[in-house]
Amino acid sequence: MDQQVSQVAQALLQSYNKVLKVNLTTDAYVLIHLKPGEYCFGQEGSLSAWLEDFNRQGFVHPDDQIEFDNFTNLGYLRTFFQQMNGTEDLQYMYRRLVDGAYVWTVMDIVPAVDWSPEDQKAFLIVKDMANESPRDIPPFDQAVRALFEVHEAIFFADTEENVLVPYHMSPFYDKVYNQFFCPANSLNEALQNFVAAYVAAGDREFMTKVARAGFLTAELQPRSSFSCDFRLDVDGQAMWARMEVVALDGAGNAKRLVLCFTDVSHERAQDTDFQGVGNTLLLVEDNELNMMMLTAILEDDFTILQAFNGKEALAVLEENARDIALIVTDLQMPEMDGFELLRALQGMRKYDSIPIVVATASDELETELECLELGASDFVAKPYNPAVILNRVKSFVRLRESTIMLDTLEKDSLTGLYAKEFFLRNMKIEFDQNPQRAYTLMVFDVVGLKTINEKYGEKTGDECLRYLALRCPQYSPNVVCGGRLTGDKLAFLLHDVDMSVDAGNQMCLDIAKGAPAPNLAVRAGAYQVSDQLSAQMACDRALLALEKVKGAYNQFYGEYDDAVREEMMKRQMILDTMEQALEEKQFQVWFQPKHDLHTGVTGGAEALVRWIHPEMGFMNPGMFIPLFEQNGFIARVDHYILEQVCDALQEWSAAGRREIPISVNFSRRDFENPHLVDDIIELVDSRSLKRSLLHVEVTESICSDNPEMVPAAINRLHNEGFVVELDDFGSGYSSLAAMADMDIDVMKLDMSLVRQDSSEPGATSALELSMQIAKTLGVRTVAEGVETEAQMMRVKSLGGDLVQGYYYSRPLPKLDFEAYLDAEEVALKANAAK
């Protein structure tokens, strides 16, 4: 952009003569430039009449008049450009009268970018040459033509002499700049008058700061150009404009500027569906039955577009974004799931006004909060209720228009703070004007706002946000500006605040006092703005600090530091390399033996996933499993682990090894697959394995996620001959309720029961009670986390069946596990021989 602007600016600075925008087909012209002191705003008329008048007034030397008439004949010009198909310039050199003397002059006719045989648009440039040595006219190449076509107003500003030279391309700009942009005005006066008279009220404060010589000079110190968008008020209607500013002499020298103003309403319309709301819905669902149901419910009222995964959805959006009023997406899908789709759409401003409704069978709060943080507007439950779906979709479509306009408003109507776009703009201006000043950016959110809305009503939830918007500035007098980043996240830029974590926690507690909802909790993340970052990046870092304390007990305030940054980098590395890791089989299956207390030998093992990263080496499962559960990738990893276990069981059977049952963990995301049971059966049966050798291990929390689908799947697995283990019994979930609904074969006792000090009141009775429950229900037990002989003996004395833990063995790679079993077999044979 800056090279193009500088190119045309330098060329026109040397012209000092006329520049006309012409149309050879219609014989029309618009005068857009005269030499300094001869300004004509919007003069237009017949091109042939203008050229004839030019010659008749004696400006052309008598010896050149015949050739001039021939050159400027419209028939000749039209024929030439027709033959050249608008690809060549046409130049003619003649002498014209200037201040009583004839000066060699070049007339150059340059086809415009949108030239066509039917509409021959061009620029006519008149340039005087030096008397003693005629020189070629500066080139008006394709980039310069494009610049003329794109920019509707171009003017020069000398920040010392305050000279403005306008170039008009649009009737609107002729009207606007004729009043203010003239040499008599200083740069500051002209721009401020323009802002006051024509800039829309919502952008006036912002443009008042930007449209000053001091700001422009400072902005162009580290670079040679910059741009910003704002809205003009044209006869009561908003029109988006872009101001592009270039230092003609390069970065660090802002004495001579060229300022270009462009109408970008069409571009902004594409970004935000500026023209209104369509009547089309995009349904993203990989399950054909669910897609058919949704389509049947909605097709009478809406036009339906379909995509069967997130990748297809992005392609459909690219082609139909202006028509799409709402997106309804599933979460669990192949190739690109719902979480990945939400993340992808976060970075695309042109789609951010389209509401996204997530269809989910889970009511887990963390899942819903993550979706909301990624930009989801609401949720609908599976199985679908036709009346609820239709009414909710209609409601969102009715509200779409106001949603679109929300981001274009200066102030958020609910909180009174800046809308996100304007908050970021004001941050940038503050940073640019005060580069040496230290700032702190704090982001606040209301913990569990969705729960508050459901329990007390949305009106109370809104009151909580308004309360937070008012209370935070009162708590700190150093607030520069505040904005609403998302539905429940408010940000405040402060002059440097040195606050300890304890003080930050107390601040959050104090702010929450007196809130409209009882027991309101407020969290905050802070970033000390110490380096040259964009406003958006500063917000991202404050949000990461907020994420640091998410779910932490009695901790409400987090600071961005190297640890947070490192965690962010690790998280991103995991997400970036997980697909490759699965393809390259970086994930390994390790086996932790389960010791049978009745027989004294290994009675089974649990299959555990381990990631051996080529760069980071052994990765703790706690680093990647939670991320995989969030984005759904865990389902693919679990399937891979299941395949590896089945292959190992088949290999051991072929080698004549003793049969050892292996338990495989299944995630809540696995049960979102309606074909899960069939997939398991196919994997086991295709290898001719006994189904009882595969233990399906689930936690009670999975059952609470989907109380209809999960128990049905578990019971079917049990009836098909698989062994079902209920993990984490006694960890705090209502496991008895789960066992009442499902056919459980094995109860795994949580390590917290095993590791309690037996001298503590009730410690033994809790473990003993668990054992009694298992015996009453007729299920076997596995005690997890057994690390000492004393713990093993306690479990054995209470009638436990198996124990698992470091007392016998840590998790082992496959070859080490086989060696472990071989050593055990050798010992057994030796004992039998005695």
Side-chain angles (χ1 to χ4, degrees):
M1 182 273 289
D2 58 338
Q3 184 178 4
Q4 292 179 354
V5 174
S6 179
Q7 203 173 23
V8 73
Q10 296 289 359
L12 291 177
L13 275 174
Q14 298 175 48
S15 295
Y16 299 114
N17 305 126
K18 296 175 177 62
V19 179
L20 292 80
K21 186 175 183 181
V22 303
N23 191 321
L24 303 179
T25 301
T26 60
D27 186 22
Y29 82 91
V30 175
L31 187 63
I32 60 176
H33 172 59
L34 287 172
K35 66 181 180 180
E38 298 179 15
Y39 296 94
C40 184
F41 299 91
Q43 177 181 315
E44 57 187 66
S46 164
L47 174 61
S48 57
W50 182 84
L51 291 170
E52 182 180 347
D53 185 63
F54 189 81
N55 191 0
R56 186 172 57 247
Q57 292 186 22
F59 292 126
V60 179
H61 193 284
D63 293 343
D64 297 333
Q65 283 184 354
I66 296 178
E67 288 189 10
F68 182 85
D69 287 342
N70 292 333
F71 173 79
T72 56
N73 179 274
L74 280 187
Y76 166 72
L77 295 176
R78 290 168 179 164
T79 301
F80 173 83
F81 286 110
Q82 193 84 24
Q83 291 175 346
M84 295 295 103
N85 198 31
T87 59
E88 298 290 338
D89 299 0
L90 184 60
Q91 288 189 359
Y92 168 66
M93 184 174 290
Y94 65 98
R95 288 161 292 183
R96 78 180 187 100
L97 188 65
V98 178
D99 297 330
Y102 284 103
V103 177
W104 279 104
T105 302
V106 166
M107 180 176 288
D108 189 18
I109 303 178
V110 184
V113 172
D114 56 349
W115 183 93
S116 69
E118 297 78 20
D119 196 15
Q120 296 187 18
K121 296 178 181 178
F123 293 101
L124 187 153
I125 303 137
V126 179
K127 169 158 177 66
D128 291 339
M129 308 304 235
N131 290 326
E132 60 278 9
S133 56
R135 294 176 288 115
D136 289 338
I137 188 170
F140 278 72
D141 59 14
Q142 194 77 359
V144 176
R145 299 174 207 164
L147 182 74
F148 264 113
E149 288 301 314
V150 171
H151 292 86
E152 297 195 349
I154 302 174
F155 68 93
F156 299 107
D158 187 318
T159 55
E160 291 184 348
E161 299 297 330
N162 302 311
V163 176
L164 303 173
V165 184
Y167 297 81
H168 298 301
M169 305 289 290
S170 156
F172 170 73
Y173 283 103
D174 294 338
K175 168 187 172 183
V176 172
Y177 296 122
N178 184 28
Q179 183 173 355
F180 295 119
F181 287 3
C182 56
N185 291 110
S186 72
L187 175 61
N188 282 337
E189 182 182 355
L191 289 176
Q192 292 304 310
N193 286 342
F194 169 73
V195 169
Y198 292 101
V199 174
D203 290 353
R204 199 167 294 151
E205 181 180 349
F206 163 69
M207 284 301 294
T208 298
K209 296 178 181 179
V210 172
R212 294 184 181 276
F215 177 84
L216 299 179
T217 302
E219 189 72 18
L220 293 170
Q221 284 300 316
R223 49 186 172 161
S224 61
S225 67
F226 80 97
S227 66
C228 66
D229 291 2
F230 62 96
R231 287 168 299 173
L232 295 170
D233 188 346
V234 184
D235 298 326
Q237 295 185 346
M239 183 183 90
W240 278 100
R242 175 169 299 144
M243 181 177 75
E244 298 176 275
V245 186
V246 176
L248 289 178
D249 303 310
N253 191 347
K255 291 184 178 180
R256 296 196 308 162
L257 311 178
V258 57
L259 291 86
C260 302
F261 289 82
T262 309
D263 182 352
V264 292
S265 296
H266 179 67
E267 178 181 332
R268 296 299 295 246
Q270 290 181 327
D271 285 350
T272 62
D273 200 8
F274 195 75
Q275 300 301 319
V277 178
N279 196 44
T280 300
L281 306 182
L282 172 57
L283 307 182
V284 191
E285 169 66 73
D286 68 315
N287 185 286
E288 292 185 1
L289 179 60
N290 286 340
M291 180 69 83
M292 291 174 59
M293 290 177 59
L294 274 176
T295 302
I297 293 169
L298 300 169
E299 64 185 354
D300 289 341
D301 297 274
F302 300 95
T303 300
I304 303 298
L305 297 177
Q306 297 180 343
F308 293 89
N309 56 59
K311 188 175 181 180
E312 291 183 12
L314 292 178
V316 173
L317 273 170
E318 184 68 23
E319 295 293 328
N320 305 276
R322 291 180 59 79
D323 299 322
I324 293 174
L326 181 71
I327 301 171
V328 181
T329 181
D330 190 18
L331 286 179
Q332 182 63 32
M333 295 179 291
E335 291 195 55
M336 177 184 284
D337 63 19
F339 288 106
E340 293 170 317
L341 175 61
L342 287 169
R343 291 191 186 93
L345 293 177
Q346 267 194 320
M348 301 180 182
R349 192 181 70 176
K350 58 185 177 181
Y351 302 144
D352 62 5
S353 69
I354 303 177
I356 304 172
V357 175
V358 174
T360 176
S362 169
D363 60 354
E364 184 181 3
L365 183 59
E366 290 297 322
T367 298
E368 294 186 355
L369 287 176
E370 181 181 6
C371 290
L372 290 173
E373 290 172 357
L374 290 174
S377 301
D378 205 349
F379 303 86
V380 290
K382 293 181 179 179
Y384 298 123
N385 182 313
V388 172
I389 291 285
L390 185 59
N391 287 332
R392 187 163 296 182
V393 167
K394 286 183 176 180
S395 176
F396 267 107
V397 172
R398 285 195 298 268
L399 292 173
R400 173 74 193 283
E401 198 72 45
S402 59
T403 303
I404 291 172
M405 295 306 297
L406 181 62
D407 286 341
T408 65
L409 297 175
E410 178 185 17
K411 294 294 180 71
D412 170 52
S413 59
L414 176 64
T415 63
L417 301 175
Y418 281 114
K420 179 180 177 180
E421 180 179 348
F422 289 90
F423 176 67
L424 295 176
R425 286 186 182 184
N426 279 276
M427 281 181 62
K428 181 183 184 303
I429 293 172
E430 186 71 25
F431 292 163
D432 291 341
Q433 291 181 343
N434 303 284
Q436 304 304 319
R437 181 175 292 173
Y439 294 93
T440 299
L441 181 64
M442 289 190 183
V443 177
F444 295 82
D445 80 333
V446 176
V447 178
L449 181 62
K450 185 173 184 293
T451 302
I452 292 174
N453 288 335
E454 292 176 351
K455 188 173 183 180
Y456 302 106
E458 291 187 4
K459 183 178 179 181
T460 301
D462 290 346
E463 289 174 354
C464 288
L465 287 173
R466 279 194 292 266
Y467 170 83
L468 188 60
L470 292 172
R471 187 72 179 87
C472 290
Q474 293 172 357
Y475 191 88
S476 175
N478 297 319
V479 172
V480 177
C481 60
R484 187 179 184 186
L485 299 184
T486 61
D488 61 347
K489 290 181 174 56
L490 310 182
F492 296 90
L493 182 67
L494 305 92
H495 294 309
D496 188 34
V497 175
D498 186 11
M499 183 177 292
S500 66
V501 173
D502 289 341
N505 279 329
Q506 189 59 49
M507 174 190 68
C508 292
L509 293 172
D510 291 344
I511 288 175
K513 293 177 181 177
N519 303 317
L520 181 75
V522 174
R523 292 181 301 191
Y527 170 59
Q528 305 295 329
V529 184
S530 57
D531 43 16
Q532 295 296 319
L533 291 177
S534 67
Q536 182 61 63
M537 183 63 74
C539 286
D540 291 342
R541 292 192 171 185
L543 287 167
L544 283 170
L546 180 65
E547 187 72 17
K548 179 180 176 181
V549 295
K550 183 179 179 180
Y553 175 71
N554 210 29
Q555 186 176 352
F556 307 101
Y557 179 81
E559 293 182 331
Y560 181 88
D561 52 24
D562 290 341
V564 174
R565 182 178 184 277
E566 184 178 348
E567 187 66 25
M568 175 190 68
M569 297 300 290
K570 286 182 179 178
R571 179 188 179 102
Q572 192 59 49
M573 181 275 297
I574 290 171
L575 296 175
D576 290 343
T577 61
M578 62 185 189
E579 294 278 359
Q580 180 182 356
L582 191 59
E583 291 177 4
E584 297 179 354
K585 297 186 176 181
Q586 295 174 16
F587 297 107
Q588 297 183 9
V589 182
W590 288 26
F591 301 87
Q592 185 169 32
K594 299 176 183 178
H595 195 79
D596 192 320
L597 295 176
H598 302 299
T599 63
V601 298
T602 300
E606 179 180 3
L608 301 168
V609 61
R610 295 294 184 262
W611 187 357
I612 313 300
H613 196 277
E615 296 178 8
M616 300 187 65
F618 182 88
M619 292 179 62
N620 190 313
M623 293 174 58
F624 60 88
I625 287 181
L627 283 178
F628 291 173
E629 288 180 339
Q630 290 174 11
N631 64 16
F633 190 68
I634 191 67
R636 293 181 59 189
V637 174
D638 287 347
H639 185 81
Y640 170 79
I641 296 300
L642 180 60
E643 286 182 323
Q644 297 299 304
V645 167
C646 290
D647 288 344
L649 288 170
Q650 184 183 35
E651 178 187 334
W652 294 337
S653 176
R657 289 182 177 274
R658 180 166 59 91
E659 293 180 339
I660 299 291
I662 305 296
S663 61
V664 178
N665 291 281
F666 285 83
S667 163
R668 58 176 58 87
R669 307 305 295 268
D670 294 311
F671 287 90
E672 293 174 3
N673 174 14
H675 307 295
L676 176 64
V677 176
D678 292 330
D679 292 344
I680 294 173
I681 292 174
E682 181 181 356
L683 277 173
V684 172
D685 290 355
S686 65
R687 292 163 174 79
S688 301
L689 299 174
K690 293 181 181 178
R691 294 180 179 180
S692 60
L693 289 178
L694 183 68
H695 290 203
V696 177
E697 191 168 319
V698 297
T699 63
E700 185 275 335
S701 60
I702 295 178
C703 310
S704 63
D705 289 342
N706 191 332
E708 295 181 2
M709 181 178 293
V710 174
I714 291 297
N715 291 340
R716 185 184 167 199
L717 284 167
H718 171 84
N719 293 333
E720 293 285 354
F722 297 94
V723 176
V724 178
E725 298 187 6
L726 182 65
D727 196 13
D728 296 333
F729 185 92
S731 63
Y733 299 107
S734 53
S735 302
L736 286 175
M739 296 182 70
D741 295 330
M742 297 186 300
D743 295 324
I744 302 298
D745 302 291
V746 178
M747 178 195 297
K748 294 193 73 175
L749 304 176
D750 187 72
M751 63 179 65
S752 62
L753 296 176
V754 177
R755 295 178 181 178
Q756 281 182 322
D757 187 348
S758 59
S759 63
E760 294 179 2
T764 302
S765 59
L767 182 59
E768 184 176 4
L769 179 61
S770 299
M771 293 292 188
Q772 290 175 354
I773 291 172
K775 291 178 181 178
T776 300
L777 295 175
V779 300
R780 304 188 76 199
T781 60
V782 178
E784 295 183 287
V786 174
E787 297 181 345
T788 67
E789 183 179 6
Q791 292 171 354
M792 183 273 294
M793 293 303 296
R794 283 181 57 213
V795 174
K796 186 175 182 178
S797 67
L798 294 172
D801 297 306
L802 295 98
V803 293
Q804 175 182 340
Y806 277 38
Y807 176 68
Y808 285 102
S809 175
R810 60 180 178 82
L812 301 170
K814 180 173 176 287
L815 293 178
D816 291 349
F817 178 64
E818 292 171 352
Y820 179 91
L821 295 178
D822 290 342
E824 187 177 71
E825 289 296 322
V826 171
L828 287 174
K829 291 179 180 179
N831 290 333
K834 290 182 180 179

